Amino acid sequence: MTERAEREFQTQFEADHDPLTDLFNRRAGEKRLKKALRECAKHGQHLVLIMIDLDKFKPINDTYGHEAGDKVLIEIANRFKKRFNNNTDICIRLGGDEFIVAQQINNYDKTATQNQAIALLDELQQDISISQTKKCAVGASIGIAVAPNDGNELLELMFNADKMIYHVKETGRGNVAFYDELKK
């Protein structure tokens, strides 16, 4: 019975997680985000949706090959796992070099969220070893949308956070932007 349970667990894990990074894949991540949104609405909480798009990732693949790109993505995912709580936070690889981290919180503090995002940016910019003799660095552009302030539906929140990523990219990359700043 134990062997069967282990196989079922492994099968479910593989269905829900990105095979390269072991973060939630898009399908399973969106399912968890929808559940988190329902819980936040029910308990009067906020869902902070942090959308991350890596900067300078394509040149790594083009220059050093996809194996090096995979090493970068694995290291980035490991940095997410160290920085965020696997039991309470939702870390997702949307695909390519795009990620989401979401947190359910009781009392939303924009300054605390901004400080957390800036610390994440700093960490993501640290060198990554891609071989014994080569290192590279990526950065990130981060867009943040917060439920219920910036939307109550997942697609709306994702769209709003993505809109802020493009705003960051248009204004120089390597920064954080909140959707509420666009509404002012």
Side-chain angles (χ1 to χ4, degrees):
M1 194 67 170
T2 306
E3 197 175 303
R4 180 179 174 188
E6 285 179 22
R7 276 196 318 267
E8 288 175 6
F9 174 81
Q10 186 62 32
T11 300
Q12 187 62 51
F13 183 88
E14 289 172 2
D16 289 346
H17 292 80
D18 174 65
L20 182 65
T21 63
D22 283 343
L23 299 177
F24 285 115
N25 61 30
R26 182 181 203 113
R27 183 193 55 79
E30 287 181 358
K31 186 176 176 182
R32 290 193 185 251
L33 289 171
K34 287 176 183 176
K35 180 181 178 191
L37 272 170
R38 288 191 303 271
E39 288 176 10
C40 286
K42 182 178 177 182
H43 300 293
Q45 297 175 311
H46 291 86
L47 183 72
V48 177
L49 190 121
I50 305 167
M51 190 173 277
I52 303 134
D53 186 59
L54 298 182
D55 297 332
K56 301 183 279 182
F57 179 72
K58 187 177 179 332
I60 292 168
N61 267 342
D62 293 346
T63 304
Y64 302 111
H66 290 283
E67 187 175 309
D70 287 352
K71 286 181 181 181
V72 169
L73 293 172
I74 291 166
E75 177 57 28
I76 294 297
N78 288 337
R79 292 177 186 184
F80 289 147
K81 292 173 195 172
K82 288 178 192 167
R83 176 161 289 282
F84 297 98
N85 184 329
N86 194 37
N87 295 320
T88 58
D89 301 329
I90 303 167
C91 296
I92 304 162
R93 180 177 179 208
L94 286 180
D97 62 347
E98 294 181 316
F99 301 87
I100 286 179
V101 175
Q103 300 175 303
Q104 287 178 243
I105 55 174
N106 291 321
N107 300 310
Y108 172 62
D109 177 348
K110 183 176 179 179
T111 302
T113 300
Q114 185 166 20
N115 290 340
Q116 182 182 44
I118 290 169
L120 176 61
L121 272 179
D122 291 342
E123 189 170 336
L124 294 177
Q125 293 171 351
Q126 300 302 311
D127 283 350
I128 298 171
S129 292
I130 54 174
S131 74
Q132 290 183 345
T133 58
K134 291 184 182 133
K135 292 183 179 190
C136 67
V138 295
S141 296
I142 297 178
I144 300 175
V146 181
N149 310 20
D150 303 327
N152 292 310
E153 299 295 323
L154 179 57
L155 290 178
E156 180 183 18
L157 283 174
M158 289 175 67
F159 179 80
N160 291 339
D162 194 49
K163 188 183 291 188
M164 299 319 298
I165 285 177
Y166 283 98
H167 173 73
V168 170
K169 287 187 178 289
E170 289 170 357
T171 57
R173 301 180 185 267
N175 210 341
V176 177
F178 288 77
Y179 183 72
D180 71 348
E181 295 166 358
L182 198 64
K183 297 190 295 188
K184 290 179 184 176

